Structure formats: C-alpha cells, structure tokens
Amino acid sequence: MSITGKRLTLIAMCMALSMAALDDTVVTVALPNLQLSLGMSVAGLQWVLTAYLLPIACLVLPAGTLGDLYGRRRVFLIGLIGFVGGSILAGLAVSGAMVVAGRMVQGIGAAALLPTSLAILSDAFPNPKERTKAIGIWSGVSGLALIVGPAIGGILVDTLGWRSIFFLNLPLGMLTFWLTCRAVSAGHRHSMSKKHSKPLDWPGMIFSTVMLASFVILLTGGGDGAAGNHALLFGLGLGLLSLGSAVAFVVVEIYSACPMLPLGMLRQAAFTTAIATNALLFFMLVSLLFLLSLFLQQVQGYSAAATGLRFLPLNGAFILASILSGYASAKLGWRTAITSGFLIAGLGVLSLAQIQPNTPYGDMLWQLMVVGFGIGFTLSPLTAVGMDSAPTAHSGIAAALLNTSTRLGGALGIAVQGSVLTQGLGHHLARSLAAWGLSSTAQQAIVAEALGHGATRPDRLAGYLPPTISIETLEQTIHRAFVSGMHSVMWVAAIALLLGAAASFTWIKTERVSETHPYASSSIGPP
C-alpha cells in the first residue's frame, strides 16, 4: 500500500473509532434534555445508555470473526452504515422508545467497527514499528474522543438541541465511508483462506447474547411496567432465561470444535482477573458520568455545556495518570500499579458520597480529579496484564474480551446503579412526604413524578401540596432525595473498586514489566 493509502486508512479508522467512542459519553450530558423533551423516566434514560453498550458487549467477538470470513472492509462498511442509520433514527425520534431503538442500532454498528478497524490498520501497516505508531495514534484519538465527548455534547445540546449529537455522525460517517472505499482494499481476507479460517460459532454467539441481554434487562427493571405477580413472574423468567443460556453457552463452548471463547483461557488467574476487574472499573465509570450529569443539571442547575466542561478536570487527571502509569508499572510492577489505581479511585468515589445539593463545584473539583487519576493509573497496566496473560495465538480474542468487558461493565453499571439511585430516591422522598402528612395518593403522584422527571416540573404537583408547603420546598426535598440515592450509588461504586483492588493484589503477578515491553507505555484508548 502507498504512503497516501496508509494515511487515508489511518484517518478513516480513527474517524470511525472516534464516532463510536464519542457516543459512549457524548449522550450523557443530553439526558436531562431528552427527559424533558420526550417525557422519559430515569429507567428510560438508563436504556438510552444501555441500548448502546449491550450490543457492543454481545457482538464484538463474532464481528471480528465475520471480518475474517467475509472481508474486514465489507464488515466495517456494513457496521458504519448501521451506526449512521441508528444515529439518524435516534436524531429523528419522537419518543423515548425510538431513541432507544436508534441507540441499539448504533451499538450493533459499533460492534462491527471496533474489531475490524483495528484489523484493517494491522493489515495496512505490516511493518511492526509503523503498526505500533498507527495503533498508538488510533488508540490516542479514541481516548481523546472519550475525554472531550461530554464537553462537545454539552455545547451541541445548548446551541443546536439534543438531536444534533446524533446528526453529527451523518457527515462524519459519509466522509469515513468515502475514505474507506478509496483507501482500503476490497478483496482482503484473513491470511488463511476462507475454507480453512475459523468458522463463526453461531450457537455460542446466540446463547451469549441471550444470556447477557436477559441479565441486563433484569437488572435494569425490564418488568417495571408490570404489576404485582406479573412483575415477579417476568423477573423470574428473565433470571431463568439468563441462567439457562449461561449453562448452554458453557456446554457449547466446551464441545465446539471452534469455540467463540476458548474456556481454557479463563484458567489463567491473571487473565480472568484482568477481565473481571476491567468490568468493575467501567461499572463505576459509566454510571458515575450518568449520575453526575443528572446531578449537575437537575439539582445544581448547570447547562449541558457547563456540565460537559466540568468533567474536563476528571479527564485531565485521567490523561496525566495514563502517562505516569507506564513508568510506574516499569518500576513497581503491574500488581502494585493496578492495586494503587483502584484504591485511589475508590477513595475518590467515597469522598463524593459526602456531597450535598448545594455543595460548590470547587469543593468537588479535587474529588473528581482523584477519581480520574485512579482510573487512568489503573487502565493501561490492566490492559497490559490481560494481553500479556493470554496465549499469543489468542491475542485477538483477548483484546476482544477486554473490549467486551468494558462495555458489559458499563451496561451493568447503568443497570445496577440506576436501580440503586431510583430506590434510594423513592425511599427518601416517600419518608419526607409521609412526615408532611400527605395522603397516599399525593405521595404516590409526587414520587412517580420525581422518578419520572426528576425535579424538572415540580409546578405540576402544586395541587397535591398543603398551603404550608411551597413548590420551592418540594423541589429542595426532591433534590435531597436524589442526593440520598446518589450517596448509595457512590458506596456501591466504591465497594466495586475496593473489590477490584483486592482481586488485583491477590491474583495479578508481581513481576516488573520492562520499559521496552509493548504494553509498558500508556494508552488512553480502549483495549
């Protein structure tokens, strides 16, 4: 391939990954506007994020295999079309369900983009030194997209409305499509012929997708629309479906000639620990961004743009720690670096459990920076352990599993932490309303409004209040209830991080990594 072709390929792959990475975070600051515009509940907002993360977690592994079988450019372009199509559907949405559907289509497209873009880059740069530089740029651009996502999203929402964050992908996607068609060879296949390449493990893919989807739906509250015994039966059915699919998946992978996931890889304690703790890290991170975006806008009254800018110190600390983590791993060893990062992030999250509705942003600034530093200090060496612990022949699967654990951890974080938030908010608010002597009808209406729309329209509840209770008092009470639920979320997140620290200290090897090791240098992008 010519130098121009290589450069165009690198630009196209970076643009594709940037779009996928932006949609991990850019939507977060638009959630309050979506809630107000489309009348979505907190559970609905959870699904706006989960619907994007879940397909990636389920499909990134089979997407890589499809690229090997049918051509990476072909699968990449199909994924790009799906991603842009999902963006248009979400941008045109007139209901919350339509936004969720668009996000799900986006996630399916992103699942095809992530593994194939890396594979296309590896093919375009066969020289090891050139390939290392190209992948470093690719990873760095995606990390930058994750970092500036909330700020970009906030500016777009405040100036052009929430639909603009989805329509932005249309011109970017068209340019990426054109560059890919021009620069990437259409006839590429895996180095092995199609006849001898690894076939797609359809049973494994189906059972793993059903297992993960039913489990996340169960945690998100898929049966909330039902009542009484119906909700219980629905939840029980989802649990049994997830458990049965998990058993079937394990059986299929044990007896499959070409398993999607070679289960023998999980016998490596360090590798399994890296996958599990990586999921814990993003379990905390994605739910934290979700929660703080709602807090800063609905409780403290910041605009979407101002909220996005207030995430920058966290992201700046993340970058600094990512740079330092490579050197720390070389001097102290992976176990020390990873355990320290988890502890730092855990202590930062615990400190956030002390904030109140009127806490000045300046008082939260150092706490956000501590959290960001801990995450950045952990992520690079954790990725290195996952890749180093996997057999060389399965390095591609190892990278895909790390990517899967990232998205699955985020999806589970939104599901679990969103449920913790709503339970805490509802319980605290109901207790306050009962102390005012309101009727049960009034209490139920106010709690339902708070869970559905936060405190965005408290004036609609004026008819339920006695003359002694003002709308402003009700609004402040809802804010305090939100913060009470948020404190519970912070404790759950901190416990997850401390569990990550304990697991890393116990099962990750202590050897120091050489500074020349390919994973010793930091990488702020996704695995």
Side-chain angles (χ1 to χ4, degrees):
M1 181 181 290
S2 66
I3 294 177
T4 300
K6 290 180 179 180
R7 289 175 178 172
L8 291 178
T9 299
L10 178 58
I11 292 172
M13 297 306 105
C14 285
M15 289 182 65
L17 191 64
S18 295
M19 287 191 294
L22 273 173
D23 275 72
D24 272 330
T25 57
V26 73
V27 177
T28 307
V29 295
L31 293 177
N33 295 74
L34 276 169
Q35 187 177 45
L36 188 61
S37 176
L38 301 177
M40 300 182 70
S41 66
V42 173
L45 297 182
Q46 289 176 247
W47 271 112
V48 171
L49 300 178
T50 302
Y52 181 72
L53 294 170
L54 186 58
I56 300 178
C58 295
L59 300 177
V60 70
L61 269 172
T65 303
L66 284 172
D68 289 345
L69 284 173
Y70 301 109
R72 289 160 181 169
R73 192 187 84 154
R74 179 181 299 174
V75 174
F76 176 87
L77 291 176
I78 292 173
L80 183 61
I81 292 171
F83 184 84
V84 174
S87 300
I88 295 173
L89 178 61
L92 295 174
V94 294
S95 67
M98 195 170 171
V99 175
V100 171
R103 292 284 286 169
M104 187 167 294
V105 176
Q106 276 189 310
I108 294 171
L113 294 178
L114 290 170
T116 53
S117 62
L118 179 56
I120 288 172
L121 266 189
S122 298
D123 294 332
F125 294 88
N127 181 279
K129 290 184 178 180
E130 290 185 349
R131 184 189 303 150
T132 300
K133 291 180 181 179
I135 292 176
I137 294 172
W138 176 82
S139 181
V141 168
S142 69
L144 181 62
L146 284 170
I147 289 167
V148 302
I152 292 175
I155 293 171
L156 287 174
V157 169
D158 281 353
T159 56
L160 301 174
W162 63 265
R163 298 179 190 277
S164 62
I165 63 175
F166 298 113
F167 289 139
L168 175 65
N169 291 323
L170 179 57
L172 293 178
M174 293 174 65
L175 179 57
T176 302
F177 190 94
W178 178 78
L179 288 171
T180 303
C181 290
R182 179 177 176 182
V184 180
S185 171
H188 175 77
R189 293 287 193 276
H190 190 272
S191 58
M192 294 184 293
S193 68
K194 182 177 177 180
K195 178 180 178 180
H196 296 96
S197 59
K198 179 181 176 181
L200 187 62
D201 178 14
W202 285 106
M205 185 189 75
I206 293 171
F207 284 126
S208 64
T209 300
V210 173
M211 172 186 68
L212 295 174
S214 57
F215 184 56
V216 172
I217 292 171
L218 175 64
L219 293 178
T220 307
D224 285 350
N229 292 331
H230 291 99
L232 179 61
L233 290 174
F234 187 82
L236 181 61
L238 283 174
L240 291 175
L241 180 62
S242 180
L243 179 61
S245 299
V247 173
F249 174 74
V250 172
V251 172
V252 165
E253 297 307 282
I254 289 175
Y255 291 102
S256 174
C258 297
M260 183 176 74
L261 173 60
L263 297 179
M265 294 177 65
L266 301 181
R267 297 193 188 103
Q268 296 290 333
F271 177 76
T272 304
T273 301
I275 296 297
T277 53
N278 189 58
L280 285 175
L281 190 66
F282 282 87
F283 174 91
M284 180 278 300
L285 176 59
V286 176
S287 59
L288 181 68
L289 294 176
F290 166 71
L291 190 69
L292 288 177
S293 179
L294 294 178
F295 171 76
L296 290 171
Q297 293 184 68
Q298 291 187 346
V299 177
Q300 296 209 324
Y302 289 108
S303 67
T307 297
L309 292 173
R310 277 161 178 76
F311 283 125
L312 290 179
L314 181 151
N315 297 327
F318 176 86
I319 294 175
L320 176 62
S322 295
I323 295 172
L324 295 177
S325 65
Y327 298 101
S329 297
K331 298 297 182 182
L332 304 174
W334 283 328
R335 184 174 75 171
T336 302
I338 294 170
T339 303
S340 300
F342 270 116
L343 290 174
I344 292 170
L347 292 174
V349 171
L350 275 178
S351 67
L352 285 172
Q354 309 303 315
I355 62 176
Q356 298 300 323
N358 59 351
T359 299
Y361 172 75
D363 292 350
M364 294 185 286
L365 180 62
W366 71 270
Q367 298 165 325
L368 293 174
M369 293 178 68
V370 169
V371 173
F373 189 91
I375 297 169
F377 205 76
T378 302
L379 187 56
S380 293
L382 193 59
T383 302
V385 169
M387 296 301 296
D388 186 75
S389 302
T392 303
H394 292 146
S395 59
I397 296 175
L401 281 173
L402 284 166
N403 227 318
T404 299
S405 68
T406 294
R407 268 67 188 188
L408 181 60
L412 291 177
I414 293 297
V416 174
Q417 303 289 57
S419 298
V420 171
L421 172 65
T422 55
Q423 290 294 325
L425 190 161
H427 176 74
H428 182 96
L429 182 57
R431 189 171 55 188
S432 298
L433 297 177
W436 292 351
L438 299 183
S439 66
S440 58
T441 301
Q443 291 182 38
Q444 291 172 7
I446 293 174
V447 170
E449 173 68 19
L451 293 177
H453 306 99
T456 55
R457 294 291 305 277
D459 54 294
R460 299 197 300 190
L461 301 171
Y464 293 103
L465 299 177
T468 55
I469 304 297
S470 67
I471 291 295
E472 290 75 18
T473 300
L474 173 61
E475 187 175 24
Q476 292 170 5
T477 302
I478 294 175
H479 288 168
R480 287 194 296 271
F482 181 95
V483 171
S484 175
M486 188 170 72
H487 289 167
S488 299
V489 170
M490 295 301 180
W491 275 100
V492 173
I495 291 171
L497 291 171
L498 295 178
L499 287 174
S504 301
F505 185 80
T506 303
W507 286 299
I508 288 180
K509 57 187 178 182
T510 60
E511 294 97 288
R512 297 182 184 180
V513 59
S514 168
E515 293 186 23
T516 60
H517 191 283
Y519 300 109
S521 60
S522 64
S523 169
I524 62 174

